[in-house]
Amino acid sequence: MSETAGTADPLVEVEDLAVHFPIRRGVVLDRTVGHVYAVDGVSLRVERGETYGLVGESGCGKSTLGRAVLRLEKPTSGRVVFDGVDLSAMKGEPLRRMRRRMQMVFQDPLSSLDPRQSVQSLLVEGMRAHGLDTDRAATDKRLRELLSSVGLPSTALRKYPHEFSGGQRQRIGIARALSVGPELVVADEPVSALDVSVQAQVLNLLADLQEEFRLTYLVIAHDLAVVRHIADRVGVMYLGGLVEESTSDELYAQPLHPYSKALLSAVPVPDPVVEDQREQILLSGDLPSPAAPPSGCRFHTRCPWRQPVRCDTERPVLRELRPGHRVACHYAEDIRDGRIEPHEVVAEAVHPADFGDVDITAPRSA
């Protein structure tokens, strides 16, 4: 975790961000019959120098949110403010110059590296695009320093991605992101494709690089153990929305949203005594379709604490229950204090006919 976190100096501010992908049908008449609500009204801040962890199930929209922050995906609505500059309206050359300050480390180091390029070519490409490759001697020195920073020898410059292990390829991906001197690095599942023994090495490397280059991280992951190890603050996403946000220590000690409780109860604990005594929450049913999200609280179809009417019809907003701890749940205090007991959730069968044109395009309840 970063020692400079908590300075209340936001580098990134996301305000009510939405990314909706159109669903198109027809060969001759290509018409939009609905939308996939990948990200739907997310607001968060990433402080300068901190590591913000974003967690959730596959398909919850966390990767799309990370790409939208970098303007790799165009937002449908909302704003992304980077260091006081609104990126939403930027395009062309001003956006290209701004992207030097924001870089991404991708999930799969094999597919994100061009197999036809040498490591030297991969690293120089970004530098050249931003006008940083003006002196050959200085560039060569920069490349060797980058490789040294990520724990690779200078001889790696002449090699190609297939000649490296998965952990080494991810180090090359990290070096490529750092080659242009960014301030923000979005790491999308940076260790999920790696062996467990290599994951800790890469995570420790990211922590060392953050201190060395004074970086700010947005780390996207589904592995809660990874996020706990590296993140200062954590945001939990479910079906396109942010349902809880807190410091890492506080979230893991006392999650307040039912979905966060379920996620953390699924994390294995090596102590069998603790494992037997802690609360186990098994979610019923599958993640609803982001093309037809439930009305009201998005989580109500799987929530053991669901209360009729309000949970089914009224979408909760993120509200601060404790300083720095935001939760999007109508009954978070009642659940925390034991005034509402959990009950069995019966998964509802979903038929293909339920996702016809009418249902997909029907207006959603707030």
Side-chain angles (χ1 to χ4, degrees):
M1 297 185 187
S2 169
E3 296 180 358
T4 60
T7 58
D9 181 17
L11 180 64
V12 180
E13 296 177 271
V14 177
E15 301 175 3
D16 201 24
L17 190 70
V19 182
H20 301 162
F21 298 109
I23 302 172
R24 302 186 184 278
R25 290 184 183 171
V27 178
V28 179
L29 298 176
D30 186 14
R31 60 194 180 99
T32 299
V33 298
H35 290 85
V36 174
Y37 301 96
V39 178
D40 202 21
V42 171
S43 297
L44 57 84
R45 291 157 55 105
V46 181
E47 309 295 341
R48 193 182 304 271
E50 80 166 341
T51 298
Y52 188 104
L54 202 60
V55 301
E57 291 174 279
S58 296
C60 71
K62 55 187 186 295
S63 293
T64 303
L65 175 60
R67 293 176 64 87
V69 168
L70 301 182
R71 280 295 304 274
L72 298 177
E73 296 287 354
K74 186 177 180 180
T76 304
S77 61
R79 298 200 313 156
V80 176
V81 179
F82 179 82
D83 198 18
V85 179
D86 187 357
L87 302 182
S88 308
M90 295 185 71
K91 56 184 178 180
E93 183 62 20
L95 179 60
R96 192 190 69 82
R97 288 198 302 267
M98 185 64 73
R99 280 200 173 127
R100 175 188 167 184
R101 304 172 64 188
M102 309 176 294
Q103 291 294 305
M104 191 165 193
V105 176
F106 295 93
Q107 176 176 358
D108 185 355
L110 183 59
S111 63
S112 63
L113 299 176
D114 189 338
R116 297 167 297 182
Q117 290 184 272
S118 66
V119 171
Q120 180 170 348
S121 176
L122 287 166
L123 298 182
V124 169
E125 187 176 36
M127 297 174 63
R128 187 167 296 153
H130 290 284
L132 303 177
D133 180 30
T134 57
D135 182 272
R136 183 170 181 176
T139 297
D140 288 344
K141 180 182 178 182
R142 171 69 172 163
L143 296 183
R144 295 173 189 278
E145 291 174 346
L146 280 172
L147 289 182
S148 176
S149 295
V150 299
L152 291 175
S154 59
T155 54
L157 288 171
R158 297 189 297 272
K159 297 182 179 180
Y160 290 81
H162 71 273
E163 300 181 72
F164 299 92
S165 67
Q168 290 173 325
R169 282 194 290 263
Q170 193 61 294
R171 290 170 185 265
I172 294 169
I174 294 171
R176 180 177 62 176
L178 298 180
S179 64
V180 295
E183 298 166 48
L184 170 70
V185 173
V186 177
D188 187 7
E189 303 276 8
V191 298
S192 65
L194 306 179
D195 293 337
V196 174
S197 59
V198 181
Q199 289 183 3
Q201 298 175 17
V202 174
L203 291 176
N204 290 334
L205 172 64
L206 289 173
D208 292 341
L209 292 173
Q210 182 176 40
E211 182 176 350
E212 180 179 354
F213 295 105
R214 305 182 67 178
L215 299 171
T216 300
Y217 286 145
L218 173 60
V219 177
I220 298 164
H222 66 271
D223 189 334
L224 295 173
V226 167
V227 174
R228 184 174 191 176
H229 176 77
I230 198 172
D232 300 296
R233 288 191 302 135
V234 179
V236 181
M237 283 191 70
Y238 181 80
L239 206 61
L242 197 66
V243 297
E244 186 164 5
E245 181 188 70
S246 175
T247 64
S248 178
D249 291 340
E250 186 170 331
L251 180 72
Y252 283 84
Q254 189 180 30
L256 297 180
H257 194 280
Y259 179 62
S260 304
K261 289 175 175 287
L263 281 183
L264 290 170
S265 74
V267 177
V269 175
D271 189 335
V273 176
V274 175
E275 180 72 22
D276 291 339
Q277 292 178 349
R278 70 176 182 152
E279 182 182 20
Q280 297 288 328
I281 303 173
L282 300 178
L283 297 180
S284 299
D286 296 324
L287 187 72
S289 169
S295 60
C297 175
R298 296 284 175 85
F299 188 59
H300 83 257
T301 58
R302 305 168 73 190
C303 181
W305 288 274
R306 169 187 177 183
Q307 300 297 301
V309 184
R310 189 180 186 191
C311 290
D312 300 353
T313 59
E314 183 182 339
R315 185 175 180 181
V317 297
L318 273 175
R319 55 197 176 93
E320 195 168 62
L321 295 189
R322 293 195 291 256
H325 197 152
R326 300 192 297 161
V327 184
C329 176
H330 298 307
Y331 299 100
E333 298 99 328
D334 297 315
I335 295 171
R336 177 194 61 195
D337 299 336
R339 291 191 291 269
I340 297 179
E341 295 296 327
H343 52 75
E344 183 180 359
V345 178
V346 179
E348 300 178 2
V350 178
H351 302 283
D354 294 336
F355 295 96
D357 292 358
V358 176
D359 289 334
I360 289 178
T361 59
R364 297 170 300 141
S365 299

